[in-house]
């Protein structure tokens, strides 16, 4: 028998109005499209059908876009193994400088991205960014020295920076809190697949060296740029603005949903998270102040900064590390592929478990412990170990499952109102990239090929991340208990007075409960 879905309990115990149609969609067409009973009920099967439509229609294209993003981001590591630095007249320390500058510029430009999303819509901003960085990607063909290399790395950082924050904001307008971790695991997992694919095709593309007078690595950038142009052009006509507007363009004249499904697609989000009724509300200075002064947000940013810093050296130098173990350039790039496939599969398994059972912090620790063990193994591996032993250890380390997606979903569910959350989504992507500044200096030429000093740094970073994840979860847990105790001690009149008079907003409210 089908069970009807009524208003579920959500993380905010509040008497505030849950859904204001004019507030959520201000234009007349959207207002009339959402004219319904706020007490609307639907079955689990109906909601599953809506979710299935999103997973079949929307999510694959989101994955296609992030796929080409990471093809364009990871091709630099493949190009390094094909002697990019030597061809342009500098060493790998120059590559490190380029990575440092890229990370700094990228972080700087992530911050205003979601403010632009609020103004023009993610469905317009995302394809605009893709078209821009596609041009810069194939422009690598035109560089001949270190100055040219630095110029394209700066411009590609500027154009790529806003993509992921915009996508995260966009996805929160389609999926519920307990659905995001798995989808974000796919989102980042497909980037791992893109890295694997880049390694596979680069081995063939590099054989085009000399055609039209171009080096092999220049052909790699050119082909990646063309592919991004194609996907970005399609995105202009495919991405819908919101669940009420899926008609037209490449989506078909009838759109994705029936009238009833449109209502379910929208109201289920509001009931899951009441703050999403302000999804289209512009960011205000009060949101900025709340974000800047929230120490819990800062903890999430520091976790990301430290925990993901180790990715920069292992991702940039994985093909080179394999090559130094005694493999050819072609084989080195091919042998990077398994690490990305393992990362994809294990990351999704862990994220699905997180969505089902909760305890995101504990699930994230799996990846942290894996990385800790991997870098420690690299450090303790004898210098005279065989090439397959060196490869196996590097493979294990690089295969560490990503906790980034579920961590973002965890942070997002614990931040309100929507303006503060939107800023945080940009900030955490910035934090995940600014760590490339110190991260680019972890593996130095003087420390190669075993990078003993660099691996000890990575071990320490993972140990610190482990402690911070536990501390953040403990803080959320103890805050929930203290707030619940105080809330339970209040009379109904005191609760009503609090709701009517409190100046606390979002996750600062006494009746807000953090997701563990």
């Amino acid at each position: 028998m089908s069970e009807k879905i009524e208003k579920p309990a959500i993380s905010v115990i509040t008497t505030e109005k849950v859904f204001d149609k004019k507030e959520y969609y201000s234009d007349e067409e959207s207002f009339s499209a959402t004219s319904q009973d706020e007490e609307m009920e639907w079955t689990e099967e109906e909601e599953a059908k809506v979710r299935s439509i999103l997973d079949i229609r929307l999510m694959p294209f989101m994955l296609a876009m992030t796929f080409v993003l990471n093809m364009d981001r990871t091709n630099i590591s493949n190009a390094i193994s094909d002697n990019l630095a030597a061809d342009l007249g500098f060493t790998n320390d120059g590559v490190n400088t380029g990575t440092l500058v890229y990370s700094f510029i990228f972080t700087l430009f992530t911050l205003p991205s979601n403010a632009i999303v609020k103004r023009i819509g993610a469905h317009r901003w995302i394809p605009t960014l893709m078209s821009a960085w596609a041009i810069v990607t194939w422009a690598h063909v035109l560089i001949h020295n270190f100055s040219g290399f630095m110029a394209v790395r700066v411009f590609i950082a500027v154009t790529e920076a806003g993509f992921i924050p915009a996508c995260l904001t966009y996805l929160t307008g389609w999926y519920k809190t307990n659905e995001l971790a798995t989808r974000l695991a796919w989102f980042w997992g497909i980037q791992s697949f893109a890295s694997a694919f880049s390694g596979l095709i680069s081995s063939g593309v590099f054989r085009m060296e000399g055609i039209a007078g171009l080096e092999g690595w220049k052909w790699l950038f050119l082909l990646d740029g063309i592919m991004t142009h194609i996907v970005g052009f399609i995105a202009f006509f495919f991405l819908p603005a919101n669940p009420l507007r899926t008609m037209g363009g490449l989506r078909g004249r009838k759109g994705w949903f029936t009238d009833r499904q449109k209502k379910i697609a929208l109201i289920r989000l509001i009931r899951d998270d009441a703050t999403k009724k302000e999804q289209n509300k512009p960011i205000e200075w009060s949101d900025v102040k709340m974000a800047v002064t929230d120490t819990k947000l800062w903890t999430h940013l520091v976790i990301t900064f430290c925990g993901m810093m180790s990715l920069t050296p292992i991702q940039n130098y994985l093909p080179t590390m394999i090559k130094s173990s005694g493999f050819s350039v072609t084989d080195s790039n091919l042998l990077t592929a398994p690490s990305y496939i393992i990362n994809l599969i294990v990351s999704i398994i862990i994220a699905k478990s997180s969505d089902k059972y909760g305890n995101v912090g504990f699930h994230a620790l799996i990846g942290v412990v894996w990385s800790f063990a991997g870098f420690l193994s690299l450090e303790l591996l004898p210098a005279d170990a065989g090439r397959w032993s060196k490869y196996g250890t590097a493979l294990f380390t690089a295969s560490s499952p990503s906790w980034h997606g579920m961590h973002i979903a965890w942070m997002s569910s614990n931040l309100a109102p929507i303006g503060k959350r939107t800023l945080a989504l940009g900030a955490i992507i910035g934090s995940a990239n600014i760590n490339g500044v110190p991260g680019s200096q972890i593996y130095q030429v003087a420390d190669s090929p075993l990078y003993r000093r660099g691996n000890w740094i990575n071990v320490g970073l993972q140990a610190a991340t482990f402690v911070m994840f536990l501390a953040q979860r403990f803080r959320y847990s103890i805050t929930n208990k203290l707030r619940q105790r105080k809330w339970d001690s209040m009379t109904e009149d005191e609760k009503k007075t609090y709701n009517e008079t409190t100046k606390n907003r979002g996750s600062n409210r006494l009746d807000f409960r953090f997701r563990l």
Side-chain angles (χ1 to χ4, degrees):
M1 181 180 292
S2 298
E3 183 180 349
K4 288 187 176 181
I5 304 288
E6 300 181 1
K7 284 189 178 181
I10 56 178
S11 59
V12 181
I13 310 167
T14 178
T15 59
E16 292 182 90
K17 181 172 56 179
V18 171
F19 180 50
D20 186 309
K21 294 178 283 295
K22 286 185 178 179
E23 196 171 311
Y24 191 76
Y25 289 111
S26 58
D27 57 277
E28 190 62 33
E29 178 185 356
S30 296
F31 171 75
S32 61
T34 59
S35 179
Q36 76 270 310
D37 182 2
E38 292 184 12
E39 301 300 322
M40 176 182 177
E41 298 178 3
W42 56 83
T43 65
E44 290 183 356
E45 288 79 4
E46 285 181 300
E47 182 167 352
K49 177 64 176 177
V50 169
R51 187 168 54 247
S52 177
I53 290 172
L54 294 177
D55 286 341
I56 293 173
R57 300 286 187 95
L58 178 65
M59 202 61 204
F61 193 74
M62 298 297 297
L63 298 182
M65 292 191 299
T66 196
F67 177 88
V68 297
L69 169 75
N70 221 50
M71 285 285 289
D72 294 340
R73 293 182 70 182
T74 59
N75 53 20
I76 186 66
S77 64
N78 301 116
I80 292 170
S81 72
D82 194 45
N83 300 315
L84 173 146
D87 289 341
L88 295 178
F90 55 92
T91 69
N92 281 351
D93 281 345
V95 174
N96 288 343
T97 301
T99 302
L100 185 152
V101 173
Y102 172 92
S103 299
F104 179 78
I105 299 296
F106 189 103
T107 301
L108 186 65
F109 279 83
T110 57
L111 301 178
S113 177
N114 277 351
I116 298 174
V117 167
K118 289 292 188 179
R119 293 292 180 181
I120 69 174
H123 63 297
R124 297 189 184 99
W125 185 232
I126 290 171
T128 299
L129 290 173
M130 294 186 70
S131 299
W133 91 62
I135 295 173
V136 184
T137 298
W138 60 252
H140 281 73
V141 171
L142 306 176
I143 64 176
H144 300 285
N145 51 38
F146 182 69
S147 298
F149 173 75
M150 291 300 296
V152 292
R153 299 316 293 173
V154 167
F155 282 111
I156 205 164
V158 170
T159 51
E160 288 180 347
F163 175 79
I164 295 179
C167 286
L168 296 178
T169 300
Y170 187 64
L171 287 172
T172 59
W174 296 89
Y175 287 103
K176 292 164 60 174
T177 299
N178 65 350
E179 299 166 351
L180 269 179
T182 301
R183 275 76 187 177
L184 291 182
W186 273 102
F187 187 81
W188 265 277
I190 210 68
Q191 291 188 17
S192 295
F193 180 74
S195 299
F197 188 73
S198 181
L200 290 172
I201 68 167
S202 64
S203 62
V205 173
F206 290 159
R207 295 177 183 176
M208 298 174 67
E209 181 178 5
I211 298 177
L214 298 177
E215 293 87 347
W217 58 266
K218 285 189 176 181
W219 274 109
L220 183 64
F221 282 110
L222 178 60
L223 295 175
D224 283 349
I226 292 172
M227 181 166 64
T228 302
H229 261 307
I230 293 171
V231 177
F233 180 77
I234 294 172
F236 276 111
F237 303 96
F238 184 81
L239 292 179
N242 54 59
L244 303 180
R245 294 186 174 180
T246 61
M247 303 82 69
L250 297 176
R251 300 176 298 274
R253 301 176 71 177
K254 294 184 179 180
W256 297 346
F257 301 118
T258 65
D259 288 342
R260 178 172 174 81
Q261 286 173 336
K262 289 179 186 177
K263 299 172 185 178
I264 295 172
L266 181 61
I267 300 175
R268 76 190 198 102
L269 298 177
I270 307 300
R271 292 184 183 174
D272 173 64
D273 183 351
T275 65
K276 289 185 180 179
K277 65 183 178 180
E278 300 177 338
Q279 189 78 9
N280 286 0
K281 184 179 178 182
I283 293 173
E284 300 174 346
W285 278 112
S286 60
D287 297 319
V288 176
K289 182 179 179 181
M290 290 178 66
V292 170
T293 57
D294 190 334
T295 56
K296 294 181 290 296
L297 168 57
W298 281 102
T299 303
H300 282 294
L301 298 182
V302 175
I303 287 173
T304 301
F305 180 83
C306 292
M308 297 186 66
M309 189 186 300
S310 303
L311 294 179
T312 299
I314 194 66
Q315 288 179 350
N316 282 353
Y317 286 100
L318 180 60
T320 305
M321 291 171 70
I322 297 173
K323 179 182 173 183
S324 68
S325 299
F327 296 92
S328 68
V329 172
T330 299
D331 289 343
S332 297
N333 282 281
L334 288 172
L335 288 170
T336 63
S339 68
Y340 300 115
I341 302 301
I342 295 170
N343 173 284
L344 169 64
I345 294 172
V346 179
S347 296
I348 291 171
I349 292 172
I350 295 173
K352 286 181 71 70
S353 175
S354 171
D355 272 344
K356 184 175 182 180
Y357 299 108
N359 284 307
V360 183
F362 289 155
H363 281 83
L365 289 178
I366 297 174
V368 177
V369 172
W370 187 314
S371 291
F372 178 90
F375 286 115
L376 188 60
S377 298
L378 283 174
E379 179 61 30
L380 300 178
L381 188 70
D384 60 353
R387 68 173 187 168
W388 286 107
S389 296
K390 291 180 179 178
Y391 168 68
T393 308
L395 173 67
F396 175 80
T397 306
S399 300
S400 174
S402 172
W403 44 261
H404 191 39
M406 73 178 87
H407 180 225
I408 288 176
W410 188 34
M411 180 199 75
S412 178
S413 67
N414 287 331
L415 292 176
I418 199 73
K420 175 183 174 182
R421 178 183 304 157
T422 302
L423 290 169
L425 290 174
I428 199 166
I429 299 304
S431 181
N433 284 274
I434 193 63
N435 61 21
V437 174
S440 66
Q441 306 304 310
I442 291 177
Y443 283 175
Q444 295 281 331
V445 172
D447 195 29
S448 64
L450 298 178
Y451 302 109
R452 298 297 195 190
R453 184 172 62 250
N455 286 325
W456 273 124
I457 294 173
N458 290 326
V459 167
L461 288 169
Q462 296 308 308
T465 304
F466 183 93
V467 172
M468 286 188 288
F469 261 121
L470 290 180
Q472 184 76 326
R473 189 192 183 281
F474 175 78
R475 183 179 182 185
Y476 280 145
S477 177
I478 197 68
T479 302
N480 281 348
K481 292 177 181 178
L482 293 174
R483 286 182 178 182
Q484 190 64 49
R485 185 181 304 169
K486 187 170 183 178
W487 184 260
D488 290 342
S489 68
M490 297 168 64
T491 65
E492 291 302 316
D493 287 340
E494 288 173 333
K495 292 176 182 178
K496 182 178 179 181
T497 300
Y498 174 83
N499 283 321
E500 291 174 349
T501 62
T502 184
K503 294 182 180 180
N504 295 331
R505 296 175 59 205
S507 50
N508 291 334
R509 289 175 59 94
L510 180 62
D511 49 6
F512 187 95
R513 300 294 176 266
F514 295 105
R515 184 184 180 210
L516 301 179

